[in-house]
């Protein structure tokens, strides 16, 4: 008892502890502020967002956009001319029909019809410790899987974020962004497909299927819905073929060989 | 007023003051250092509780306290950083040791404060008992003298 009361009588240590408590307060505030920075939404900070980052290269994007619009307009004009030219004879009519079918198959014409829309977004849930943070993001692989599944389910035309998927399309990762037909895309991703809506949606939502696997790390990461009417743009990229040459039919003249 | 209220109030005032000053300064610390800072803060907390306990036990030494605060925080942060470099989570070691010490010190402080209260109460009881006995003796003496009269 004497030890206790003696110590409490001279209380110089109280002031020293209070002073050090000040520094502890600094330290605690620093720790909490910095820790909240880590657990906060900083993940989206490094993702290239075309909307928020318009100042970086607006000229190039604008130019690209107008050029692509021009390509689409010219191709539509071409189709109209083909149609006009084909009215004369049966042969040309048949040829044009075949040409339009090929163009439809190649994704070179604007199409409309029933289908499904899939939306893939990065998870907004807080990351769990021990889980790879990459699991909470949408990757190029996820989009490829969905496109693949849609094709397997009989989708006749597929568009990802406005880019028509054709036989020469590519979907690949480029760090924080995804390149679709060499165009830079960022979260979220909207995948539209024309086909049998019921078939498309049920194929996507098979248990342990594509969307189910993506939803493991956030139920709102993948959504799908049926649409009665969709309008999908034509492929606006280059159709230039440099190296592949069609094998010449047997009855060709010497003209091709001299080239 | 209770004996432990002013020291607690001043310590809390220091803590809150430090937090306010930090938020006002708007220092930016890279997010990579977050785990080290947390471990350092825990080490600081451990030193504070150790200091309070030493103060109550009457063996508080300011040089040991101040150097302990500085060195413990720095050492805990460095240990966590070293652990990250060599792939062993040494931050856990610091958390375990400091955390258990905080609990031990806190329980001892609680015991001292509660003992003190119990002692005060028993002292009061003794005093009132002594007063009663003295009153009783005085009364009995009075009655004795009264009866003799």
């Amino acid at each position: 008892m004497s030890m206790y009361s003696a110590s409490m009588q001279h209380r110089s240590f109280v002031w020293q502890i209070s002073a050090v408590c000040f520094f502890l307060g600094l330290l605690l505030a620093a720790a909490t502020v910095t820790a909240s920075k880590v657990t906060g939404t900083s993940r989206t900070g490094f993702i290239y967002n075309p909307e928020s980052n318009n100042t970086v290269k607006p000229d190039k994007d604008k130019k690209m956009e107008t050029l692509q619009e021009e390509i689409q307009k010219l191709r539509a004009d071409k189709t109209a001319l083909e149609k006009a030219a084909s009215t004369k004879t049966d042969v040309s009519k048949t040829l044009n029909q075949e040409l339009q079918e090929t163009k439809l198959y190649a994704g070179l014409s604007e199409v409309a019809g029933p289908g499904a829309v899939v939306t893939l977004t990065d998870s907004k849930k807080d990351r769990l410790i021990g889980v790879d943070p990459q699991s909470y993001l949408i990757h190029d692989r996820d989009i490829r899987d969905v496109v693949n599944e849609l094709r397997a389910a009989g989708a006749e035309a597929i568009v990802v974020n406005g880019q028509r998927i054709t036989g020469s399309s590519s979907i690949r990762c480029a760090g924080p962004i995804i390149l679709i037909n060499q165009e830079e895309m960022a979260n979220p991703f909207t995948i539209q497909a024309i086909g049998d809506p019921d078939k498309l949606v049920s194929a996507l939502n098979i248990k342990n299927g594509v969307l189910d696997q993506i939803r493991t790390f956030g139920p709102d990461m993948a959504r799908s819905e049926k649409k009665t009417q969709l309008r999908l743009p034509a492929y606006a990229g280059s159709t230039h073929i440099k190296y592949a040459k069609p094998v010449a039919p047997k009855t060709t003249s010497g003209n091709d060989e001299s080239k | 007023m209770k004996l432990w209220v002013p020291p607690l109030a001043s310590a809390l005032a220091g803590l809150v003051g430090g937090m306010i000053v930090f938020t006002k300064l708007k220092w930016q610390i890279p997010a990579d250092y977050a785990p080290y800072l947390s471990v350092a803060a825990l080490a600081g907390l451990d030193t504070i509780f150790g200091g309070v306990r030493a103060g109550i036990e009457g063996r508080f030494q300011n040089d040991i306290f101040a150097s302990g605060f500085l060195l413990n925080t720095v050492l805990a942060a460095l240990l966590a950083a070293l652990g990250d470099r060599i792939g062993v989570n040494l931050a856990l070691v610091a958390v375990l040791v400091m955390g258990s010490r905080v609990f031990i010190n806190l329980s001892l402080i609680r015991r001292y404060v509660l003992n003190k209260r119990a002692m005060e109460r028993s002292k009061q009881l003794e005093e009132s008992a002594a007063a009663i006995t003295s009153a009783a003796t005085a009364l009995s003496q009075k009655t004795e003298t009264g009866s003799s009269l």
Side-chain angles (χ1 to χ4, degrees), chain B residues 30-144:
Chain B
D32 293 345
Y33 298 141
Y36 312 143
L37 269 176
S38 307
V39 175
L42 186 65
L45 204 66
D46 169 53
T47 313
I48 296 289
F49 279 108
V52 172
R53 179 194 158 187
I56 290 175
E57 287 176 351
R59 45 185 186 81
F60 181 85
Q61 280 171 276
N62 52 11
D63 48 353
I64 288 176
F65 180 63
S67 64
F69 182 79
L70 276 174
L71 279 179
N72 277 1
T73 48
V74 172
L75 186 72
L78 284 180
L79 201 67
L82 178 72
D84 274 2
R85 297 294 172 281
I86 61 175
V88 181
N89 202 343
L90 289 179
L92 280 182
V93 177
V95 168
L96 199 69
V97 171
M98 308 286 181
S100 60
R101 263 169 46 177
V102 165
F103 276 111
I104 288 171
N105 284 336
L106 195 62
S107 73
L108 282 171
I109 293 163
R110 184 168 46 85
R111 233 153 274 221
Y112 290 136
V113 171
L114 289 177
N115 277 350
K116 170 78 179 159
R117 270 181 58 187
M119 275 189 262
E120 272 171 1
R121 208 169 292 158
S122 65
K123 205 171 154 192
Q124 273 181 355
L125 276 173
E126 271 171 36
E127 275 168 5
S128 54
I132 288 165
T133 40
S134 65
T137 44
L139 199 70
S140 61
Q141 274 170 2
K142 216 177 185 179
T143 46
E144 266 172 38

Side-chain angles (χ1 to χ4, degrees), chain A residues 1 3-4 7-8 11 13-18 20-31 33-35 37-38, chain B residues 3 10-11 14-15 18-19 22 28-31 37 40-41 44-45 48 51-52 55-58 60 62 65 69 116 119:
Chain A
M1 186 186 164
M3 171 266 281
Y4 179 77
S7 68
M8 282 312 258
R11 279 205 230 131
F13 81 92
V14 167
W15 299 114
Q16 292 177 38
I17 283 175
S18 303
V20 175
C21 267
F22 175 80
F23 292 105
L24 179 68
L26 283 178
L27 209 57
L28 275 175
V33 165
T34 318
K37 218 192 286 178
V38 175
Chain B
L3 199 59
S10 81
L15 197 70
M19 284 177 156
F22 181 83
Q28 288 294 313
I29 293 164
L37 269 176
L45 204 66
I48 296 289
V52 172
I56 290 175
E57 287 176 351
F60 181 85
N62 52 11
F65 180 63
F69 182 79
K116 170 78 179 159
M119 275 189 262

